[in-house]
Amino acid sequence: MASTGLAGMAIAGSALMVSDPALALTEQQILEKLARVPVFLIVNGEGQSLTASVDTEAEDVEVPIVFLNSTEAENFLTRAENEGSAIAADAQIAILPLRDVYAEASSQLDSPNFLLYVPSASSVQQASQIAEQEIEGVPLYAAVDLEREQYLLTGENTLPMFFSLADLQSQVSALVESNPEIQDSIGVEVTTLETILGNMAADDPEIDQVLELVQFIPASQTMEYLEELSEGSEVAE
């Protein structure tokens, strides 16, 4: 476990637990947690999403490509247009809650974990630097109490997992400002969305009590982007 204090956003181990027991997550509980996470898909004129071939143990399957960041989706379309790709002819960006994409994958594929998630390149680089190892997947960040070796929960007894490190740092900074004595005991655990979703689907009693408390926090940049789109559509009307 590395401990550099708040300034370095230390990394805590992955075996951190909370004391209160909880029941295993149902699929409905997982979907409820994903309802507040917006994702971006590239779709054609018929509403069919862009897919990629994924090699499973049984066969190759076509799965939706799910962008977690609007910029990455827009950059993909721009590259396709510049390269004269047929994909760009009638393609557009569709915004959906991850709940809907996950539920559809769950009904059509052997496992919703076959979805192909595309994080922003900068978030992966940032997470890899913090973890001091290569991060593969969509980075998530959670605050931890290094002294007690537990996740830092909110007053509502939830475990926020942030898609943005800057958003987590902002919240922790506000907490430290009112409680300066805890500055050196707060760190960060880096994990991935794929890992958390895989654990939720695995029904492991040893970690279900933690997963029960997880609350995904979309990046503020993404929420601001959606708000701007909403305001723009209202003006157009």
Side-chain angles (χ1 to χ4, degrees):
M1 179 186 300
S3 178
T4 58
L6 179 62
M9 300 308 289
I11 305 166
S14 60
L16 301 174
M17 304 296 290
V18 292
S19 58
D20 296 332
L23 299 176
L25 272 71
T26 64
E27 182 174 356
Q28 182 59 35
Q29 286 176 304
I30 296 175
L31 294 177
E32 288 174 357
K33 292 181 182 298
L34 298 179
R36 62 178 295 165
V37 181
V39 294
F40 305 84
L41 280 69
I42 307 295
V43 299
N44 61 21
E46 299 177 354
Q48 298 171 326
S49 62
L50 180 68
T51 62
S53 180
V54 173
D55 183 16
T56 69
E57 294 182 357
E59 59 181 346
D60 287 351
V61 296
E62 294 295 319
V63 301
I65 300 176
V66 183
F67 295 86
L68 271 293
N69 180 283
S70 61
T71 302
E72 294 298 319
E74 291 171 344
N75 289 344
F76 180 92
L77 272 185
T78 299
R79 288 194 299 270
E81 292 171 354
N82 293 339
E83 295 170 1
S85 172
I87 295 174
D90 60 352
Q92 57 183 328
I93 297 175
I95 305 170
L96 296 169
L98 182 51
R99 171 197 60 198
D100 294 359
V101 183
Y102 186 93
E104 184 174 354
S106 182
S107 65
Q108 296 185 3
L109 304 172
D110 290 339
S111 169
N113 295 324
F114 289 148
L115 287 168
L116 180 60
Y117 298 100
V118 181
S120 69
S122 59
S123 68
V124 172
Q125 181 181 18
Q126 188 176 46
S128 298
Q129 290 175 344
I130 294 172
E132 298 182 345
Q133 63 183 27
E134 185 176 356
I135 296 295
E136 296 182 359
V138 178
L140 286 175
Y141 307 91
V144 293
D145 183 329
L146 297 173
E147 294 181 354
R148 299 182 180 181
E149 297 191 338
Q150 291 183 347
Y151 286 111
L152 199 62
L153 306 182
T154 67
E156 291 76 31
N157 203 41
T158 63
L159 168 53
M161 287 200 164
F162 292 80
F163 284 89
S164 165
L165 176 62
D167 290 343
L168 172 59
Q169 289 174 321
S170 176
Q171 186 172 97
V172 169
S173 295
L175 179 63
V176 169
E177 186 175 349
S178 57
N179 301 275
E181 70 280 0
I182 68 173
Q183 176 168 332
D184 293 333
S185 65
I186 298 181
V188 154
E189 178 176 316
V190 180
T191 184
T192 66
L193 175 65
E194 292 88 339
T195 297
I196 296 299
L197 292 179
N199 287 338
M200 285 182 173
D203 190 17
D204 183 347
E206 292 188 4
I207 58 175
D208 280 339
Q209 57 180 309
V210 175
L211 299 175
E212 168 82 10
L213 306 179
V214 168
Q215 181 182 33
F216 295 115
I217 309 296
S220 57
Q221 182 181 13
T222 297
M223 302 310 293
E224 290 168 3
Y225 172 85
L226 296 180
E227 185 175 348
E228 290 174 0
L229 282 183
S230 177
E231 292 175 352
S233 63
E234 290 176 0
V235 171
E237 293 175 0

